[in-house]
Amino acid sequence: MFLVATSSAFLALFSVASGFLNNPIRSPYTFKFPRYTFQVTTNNAVSFKDGASLTTLDENTIWKLRINLNDSLTAQGKKVDETFIIDLKFIEEQGYEPPQGRITQVTKNNPNDDEIGDIQRLKILNGNWKLSEDPQDRKDGFWIWGVFKDPLYPFLLLQLDTDMVQLPGEDGDFIAPISLHAMIYHERNKESGVVLKSPTTLTTRIYETMKADPFGGATIDLYEEAKVGQLYFM
């Protein structure tokens, strides 16, 4: 009998379970506890799975965000004062250091859901994320889960590209597509998993093309960050 576990606390359970392995009709046997699930099968293999739910930066976790846009203008020059709730997944692209990837929006199919309607009008067309060192104090290093007390990448850089949002009313006003940026404090907790702290400031980038060489035709695009609202993790 092969045991995929090392804790002596579970040896008694495995010993009892092994007594049932000669009965091919009733196997596999599943033993469920608050944190763990054991499954015993007739090929004398025992699988062990940690059932605790940890938040992660991958497709296994859905993150709920509240976006307040209250410091920008509509297409007709009116001040925006809108709140949106969206569900997102962080999809990591393997092979990159620091860890980074794309973002997908999770849409709900239930038309009676209270969060469908006015508050769920924001559609994310594209998005990406990247773990980062402190921009003011960069150090060389690698991200290794569980080895260091504090993560080497204490920030998550987020970009969300939105679709146009039609506003209520008969004047046809709308919020133009916008690229939202945020720098979010990031840490990992052994009990709960990844922690993304909020609120944080949402900005957009205003670009300006300037000549890089006064005697030639080379140009360079510069930008400044303009605040447009706040982001909250719910």
Side-chain angles (χ1 to χ4, degrees), residues 36-153:
Y36 304 99
T37 298
F38 302 87
Q39 189 176 69
V40 183
T41 58
T42 54
N43 61 359
N44 290 350
V46 177
S47 62
F48 169 84
K49 180 180 69 174
D50 187 348
S53 177
L54 298 177
T55 53
T56 57
L57 293 176
D58 58 28
E59 63 276 5
N60 294 319
T61 300
I62 298 177
W63 297 81
K64 186 178 292 293
L65 284 69
R66 186 174 86 236
I67 293 178
N68 294 348
L69 295 181
N70 50 26
D71 206 356
S72 60
L73 300 177
T74 69
Q76 297 183 9
K78 302 175 184 177
K79 184 177 180 180
V80 174
D81 188 12
E82 297 287 330
T83 297
F84 306 95
I85 291 179
I86 57 175
D87 294 330
L88 299 177
K89 285 185 177 182
F90 294 85
I91 310 299
E92 183 176 356
E93 296 178 352
Q94 300 299 322
Y96 289 91
E97 180 66 34
Q100 57 193 275
R102 58 188 175 85
I103 290 171
T104 61
Q105 184 173 12
V106 179
T107 57
K108 299 184 178 181
N109 298 321
N110 182 6
N112 297 318
D113 196 309
D114 290 339
E115 291 179 356
I116 297 295
D118 249 13
I119 208 164
Q120 281 272 23
R121 291 171 295 147
L122 189 65
K123 181 179 179 181
I124 305 301
L125 299 177
N126 186 42
N128 57 72
W129 63 275
K130 181 178 182 179
L131 295 186
S132 173
E133 300 170 347
D134 187 342
Q136 306 301 323
D137 184 22
R138 293 191 176 276
K139 300 180 179 67
D140 294 330
F142 297 94
W143 174 257
I144 305 177
W145 290 115
V147 174
F148 300 100
K149 181 179 179 181
D150 296 315
L152 296 181
Y153 303 124

